[in-house]
Amino acid sequence: MFPVLSPAQIARVAAVGTRRKVRVGDVAFRVGDRNTSFFVIVEGQVEVVRPLAEGEAPVVVHGPGQFTGEINMLSERRSLVSARVIKDGELIEVDRERLRTLVQRDPELSEVLLRAFILRRVGLIAQDSSSLVLIGSRHSASTLEIREFLTRNAQPFSYQDVETDPAVQAMLDRFQVSISEVPVLICAGGHVLRNPSIEALAAELGLSLEIDEKVHDLVIVGAGPAGLAAAVYGASEGLDVLVLEATAPGGQAATSSRIENYLGFPTGISGEALAGRAMTQAEKFGASLAIGRRAARLDCDSKPYKIFLENGETVRTRAMIIASGVRYRKPELRDLSRFEGAGIFYSATHLEAQLCDGEEVAIVGGGNSAGQAAVFLSTVATGVRVLVRGPGLAESMSRYLIQRIGDSAKIKVQTRTQIETMEGKDWLERLHCRHLDSNTVETLPIRHVFMMTGADPHTKWLQGCVQLDDKGFIKTGLDLRPEDLAEGHWPLVRPPYLMETTIPGVFAVGDARSGSTKRVASAVGEGSMCVQLVHRVLAEI
């Protein structure tokens, strides 16, 4: 986490930086600063401190050969810490763009710096306290949404629950907040956000970029595996790449507790960790990531293309990759929306696992996501029931997951079973399940249900612009029939490229594309391969 650079490594940093003399009390950067410089200490000492709700706490003192910074060095995110000189000396200062160039061209320094940056952010997240405090309720869907947003965006915060923490009321009184206004975020300096939207939260925390009038080479809508792969390859090949992401990097893959069949990770990797590494890789090569930006409409007649965002902003681009992914389908159940976040969940991460520790849970669905959730939740729950409407798991789930489920004494698979009704007051309390073969109804005292019952694409914002199949997935390449091209007014002599839609230069990859294989590896392959086709299109313009 805090390595010491060799004289040769320091010399290579100095070649792209500026030497400056410093004295005790000089401030290198403060909490909240954006575009902070990277510093290597040649002589003297620099202390790094993090803010607390009251005062500050030391993180580390850097001496000669050590360097400042964590993962925000590669992006425009605000600094989470402050750094000040505590012993006279000399520093080498490198701005963000030159640092990016350095890590792209110097593999040895890249490995040392990026490893340290990642571990330092992990260390900040692991701290027991933070200047960002979330006050919420375990019975609140909005609280869970904000906790997931902060966690998946690697934003350190502390959480206090109004149901269980006796000290919460004093804090609410101090900031003049009523219970009815939770979830509430108390930010550095005492600024209070009452039940904020994801867009407002992203803006407040500096997780999103300012959208300007420039025309980008490539805009990617969605930062799941396909979108992040396209960002890595596009940026590494010199394109000006902007990624628009509504919530957090990783898409549905980021909600997976462990992916065990992804190439190169024989012991498996969590979806959240894989997404974090991919985002760091994309930012290393210069891709920009705008969090909290949701596409609302595409103007497919303008050149360059215009993407209208829900907050009223407009993004312009010469080429575009749609990687907007899917979301789990919501079954038609009475009271479903009332229990969402209060017993009904659509992902099984460590946050949800904390809520059902020591209780029995149910998982609805028979695909790989349901299997991964069952195996993961069996480590904390007293029992896991997998409810499958069909006759079994073999047609929809990988064999290794079926074997894991069969080997677990805690997991029970109930086929030809579906939830009929749900009951509860403020929180889900019981399920009534119908066994389709016997037509009998069983009541289960289960308070936690994970819905993983197929997926619908995020493509409504594209209707009337690109050709969709009967389920709303985007048709591309060879799947586009002559009548599709005629209806979509395809303007060119050449046919659409593989993964190109009925709009030249607009591509679709990953789960939102019709006919795609719903696997992380195939999504990554589509995203990386698509960049070569983007280059062809840009050469045609």
Side-chain angles (χ1 to χ4, degrees), residues 52-95:
L52 301 176
E54 299 286 346
E56 60 185 27
V59 175
V60 66
V61 173
H62 292 305
Q66 295 185 302
F67 53 87
T68 64
E70 46 100 19
I71 204 63
N72 74 310
M73 293 300 311
L74 301 177
S75 67
E76 295 183 28
R77 291 189 180 193
R78 293 175 182 166
S79 176
L80 300 177
V81 295
S82 299
R84 54 177 173 254
V85 178
I86 59 172
K87 183 178 180 180
D88 294 354
E90 183 181 30
L91 306 181
I92 300 171
E93 180 177 2
V94 182
D95 64 30

Side-chain angles (χ1 to χ4, degrees), residues 31-36 70-80 96 121 132 149-150 153-155 185 187-188 191 193 197-210 247 279 283 288-293:
V31 170
D33 286 352
R34 273 182 159 169
N35 296 321
T36 55
E70 46 100 19
I71 204 63
N72 74 310
M73 293 300 311
L74 301 177
S75 67
E76 295 183 28
R77 291 189 180 193
R78 293 175 182 166
S79 176
L80 300 177
R96 185 168 61 91
R121 174 55 67 103
L132 182 64
F149 174 81
L150 295 172
N153 281 286
Q155 188 71 26
L185 274 158
C187 307
H191 181 49
L193 296 177
S197 67
I198 292 301
E199 292 78 8
L201 184 54
E204 173 68 24
L205 299 177
L207 300 178
S208 193
L209 306 174
E210 292 186 6
T247 53
M279 185 182 73
E283 290 179 332
S288 298
L289 185 65
I291 300 291
R293 296 299 207 284

Side-chain angles (χ1 to χ4, degrees), residues 22-40:
V22 292
R23 300 182 64 84
V24 172
D26 288 348
V27 176
F29 50 84
R30 293 182 172 87
V31 170
D33 286 352
R34 273 182 159 169
N35 296 321
T36 55
S37 293
F38 169 78
F39 294 94
V40 174

Side-chain angles (χ1 to χ4, degrees), residues 463-475:
Q463 289 180 350
C465 211
V466 301
Q467 294 299 109
L468 307 176
D469 66 17
D470 57 356
K471 294 182 179 179
F473 292 89
I474 305 166
K475 300 179 75 170

Side-chain angles (χ1 to χ4, degrees), residues 213-330:
E213 292 295 317
K214 73 181 294 186
V215 177
H216 300 274
D217 293 329
L218 175 63
V219 168
I220 301 167
V221 179
L228 289 172
V232 168
Y233 279 86
S236 67
E237 293 172 11
L239 297 180
D240 171 24
V241 177
L242 171 65
V243 183
L244 303 173
E245 169 54 46
T247 53
Q252 273 198 316
T255 66
S256 176
S257 57
R258 183 154 298 272
I259 302 169
E260 295 194 67
N261 57 356
Y262 187 67
L263 187 68
F265 293 91
T267 60
I269 184 172
S270 73
E272 186 179 319
L274 185 64
R277 295 183 186 191
M279 185 182 73
T280 298
Q281 201 171 8
E283 290 179 332
K284 164 187 171 180
F285 288 115
S288 298
L289 185 65
I291 300 291
R293 296 299 207 284
R294 189 182 298 274
R297 183 169 66 88
L298 171 63
D299 182 352
C300 43
D301 295 321
S302 64
K303 293 289 182 69
Y305 298 120
K306 293 180 181 178
I307 305 166
F308 298 97
L309 307 183
E310 284 190 353
N311 64 0
E313 295 175 319
T314 302
V315 177
R316 299 192 298 163
T317 183
R318 299 165 67 204
M320 177 179 173
I321 295 178
I322 302 165
S324 48
V326 297
R327 59 186 170 190
Y328 284 115
R329 190 175 299 128
K330 296 183 179 182

Side-chain angles (χ1 to χ4, degrees), residues 31 37 50 78 88 90 107 131 166 182 226 284 291 295 329 336-337 343 405 415 430 460 501 503 520 526:
V31 170
S37 293
R50 61 185 175 89
R78 293 175 182 166
D88 294 354
E90 183 181 30
S131 61
V182 297
K284 164 187 171 180
I291 300 291
R329 190 175 299 128
L336 180 69
S337 60
I405 289 173
T415 59
R430 66 189 64 86
K460 287 186 177 180
T501 68
I503 307 174
V520 174
E526 289 185 15

